[in-house]
Amino acid sequence: MPEASETGSRPQRVRSGSIQPSPFLIVGLGNPGLEYLWTPHNAGFMAIDRIAQQEGVVVQNRRCRATTATCRIAGREVVLAKPETFMNLSGVAVAALVQEFEADPARDLLVIYDELDLVLGTFKIRERGSPAGHNGARSVTDALDTQEWLRLRIGVGPDLPPEAIAAGAGKRPGRDYLLSPMRTAELAVLDEVLDKVATATRRILEVGPAAAMNEFNRKDKDEGAGNKE
């Protein structure tokens, strides 16, 4: 299996005389503070909390300018992290975590964050690419000096009908939208997505990114097509 062959090339760390793979880092992007807790820009933080809840851990340790928790998923040590550096400086914490755990960004890192270009209720997994206007993702790319890192983007864009877009109401929301508390109905939609994101994250560790992308990106596309019918 592809993931078995990749394991041999992962960075190794020596612990108590034995060599073990570096932990897999799952980092959710967001802004610390109660005022940002339920905003679209904190979807990444919410995802980390959901994964932690399902794994029976609490993200409360402080390390590398982030709050962290450690668990095991699919037999591998996993570090869950939420940077405390605020969104625009997310890369500072991510780079510190990568260095601390001697991780390879291309193999041992998953970054989860919000995406305005995806409709609320959807998400996409992508192995590499440009930040596309997301300040947190840009900070991560700049700090790591590479676009070769796995990302899971959670849709937070409003689902506007075609007639609203045609009437000029479909402009890309801005900073105020991302930093304003979400409505109860929106949070209910996001809540369902977070469970799917947690499942997708486990699948990434179980079967590898490529297989998980094929499974979840296609499923999301098929469900969207079904809704339009």
Side-chain angles (χ1 to χ4, degrees), residues 106-121:
R107 298 179 182 272
D108 305 311
L109 173 66
L110 168 65
V111 181
I112 305 177
Y113 58 92
D114 62 288
E115 178 56 73
L116 269 175
D117 290 336
L118 296 177
V119 174
L120 179 66

Side-chain angles (χ1 to χ4, degrees), residues 1 23 26 44 52 59 111 145 149 154 171 173 178-179 182 184 210:
M1 297 176 64
I26 304 177
V59 186
V111 181
D145 195 27
W149 47 272
I154 300 175
K171 295 180 180 179
L178 289 173
L179 299 180
M182 301 177 73
T184 301

Side-chain angles (χ1 to χ4, degrees), residues 44 46 48 54-55 73 84 111 118 124 194 214 217 228:
M46 295 182 215
I48 293 296
Q54 293 186 1
E55 297 301 324
I73 300 177
E84 294 187 303
V111 181
L118 296 177
K124 288 284 188 284
L194 293 177
N214 187 56
N217 290 0
K228 290 178 182 178

Side-chain angles (χ1 to χ4, degrees), residues 119-130:
V119 174
L120 179 66
T122 66
F123 69 92
K124 288 284 188 284
I125 304 167
R126 191 178 180 189
E127 289 190 276
R128 61 186 62 82
S130 68

Side-chain angles (χ1 to χ4, degrees), residues 166-228:
K171 295 180 180 179
R172 179 185 174 95
R175 184 175 181 274
D176 290 344
Y177 172 81
L178 289 173
L179 299 180
S180 298
M182 301 177 73
R183 298 174 181 175
T184 301
E186 294 170 332
L187 286 171
V189 174
L190 182 58
D191 185 67
E192 293 185 7
V193 173
L194 293 177
D195 281 338
K196 296 177 182 178
V197 166
T199 299
T201 299
R202 281 191 290 272
R203 292 295 287 162
I204 287 171
L205 283 152
E206 290 169 352
V207 302
M213 286 172 61
N214 187 56
E215 179 179 348
F216 288 94
N217 290 0
R218 177 177 296 178
K219 181 186 299 184
D220 186 66
K221 182 179 180 181
D222 291 344
E223 288 176 353
N227 290 337
K228 290 178 182 178

Side-chain angles (χ1 to χ4, degrees), residues 2-221:
E3 57 272 20
S5 63
E6 291 174 1
T7 301
S9 60
R10 286 178 181 139
Q12 305 286 303
R13 298 193 302 164
V14 177
R15 293 182 180 177
S16 302
S18 63
I19 299 177
Q20 300 182 13
S22 297
F24 190 81
L25 308 178
I26 304 177
V27 184
L29 305 189
N31 290 304
L34 292 176
E35 65 268 38
Y36 301 113
L37 192 58
W38 304 115
T39 62
H41 226 19
N42 267 35
F45 274 16
M46 295 182 215
I48 293 296
D49 287 336
R50 181 61 53 89
I51 296 167
Q53 179 187 39
Q54 293 186 1
E55 297 301 324
V57 296
V58 179
V59 186
Q60 62 183 5
N61 299 322
R62 281 186 163 80
R63 193 167 188 173
C64 301
R65 300 185 70 177
T67 53
T68 66
T70 303
C71 60
R72 294 194 73 83
I73 300 177
R76 185 164 181 197
E77 182 182 359
V78 171
V79 175
L80 305 173
K82 299 191 296 185
E84 294 187 303
T85 50
F86 287 91
M87 182 64 81
N88 291 358
L89 294 176
S90 297
V92 174
V94 173
L97 287 163
V98 166
Q99 181 176 9
E100 172 74 13
F101 291 100
E102 300 178 11
D104 178 352
R107 298 179 182 272
D108 305 311
L109 173 66
L110 168 65
V111 181
I112 305 177
Y113 58 92
D114 62 288
E115 178 56 73
L116 269 175
D117 290 336
L118 296 177
V119 174
L120 179 66
T122 66
F123 69 92
K124 288 284 188 284
I125 304 167
R126 191 178 180 189
E127 289 190 276
R128 61 186 62 82
S130 68
H134 192 285
N135 290 337
R138 181 182 295 111
S139 177
V140 172
T141 292
D142 289 346
L144 298 178
D145 195 27
T146 179
Q147 295 183 7
E148 299 288 325
W149 47 272
L150 182 66
R151 71 281 317 266
L152 189 157
R153 300 174 298 149
I154 300 175
V156 297
D159 189 5
L160 298 172
E163 56 270 22
I165 296 176
K171 295 180 180 179
R172 179 185 174 95
R175 184 175 181 274
D176 290 344
Y177 172 81
L178 289 173
L179 299 180
S180 298
M182 301 177 73
R183 298 174 181 175
T184 301
E186 294 170 332
L187 286 171
V189 174
L190 182 58
D191 185 67
E192 293 185 7
V193 173
L194 293 177
D195 281 338
K196 296 177 182 178
V197 166
T199 299
T201 299
R202 281 191 290 272
R203 292 295 287 162
I204 287 171
L205 283 152
E206 290 169 352
V207 302
M213 286 172 61
N214 187 56
E215 179 179 348
F216 288 94
N217 290 0
R218 177 177 296 178
K219 181 186 299 184
D220 186 66
K221 182 179 180 181

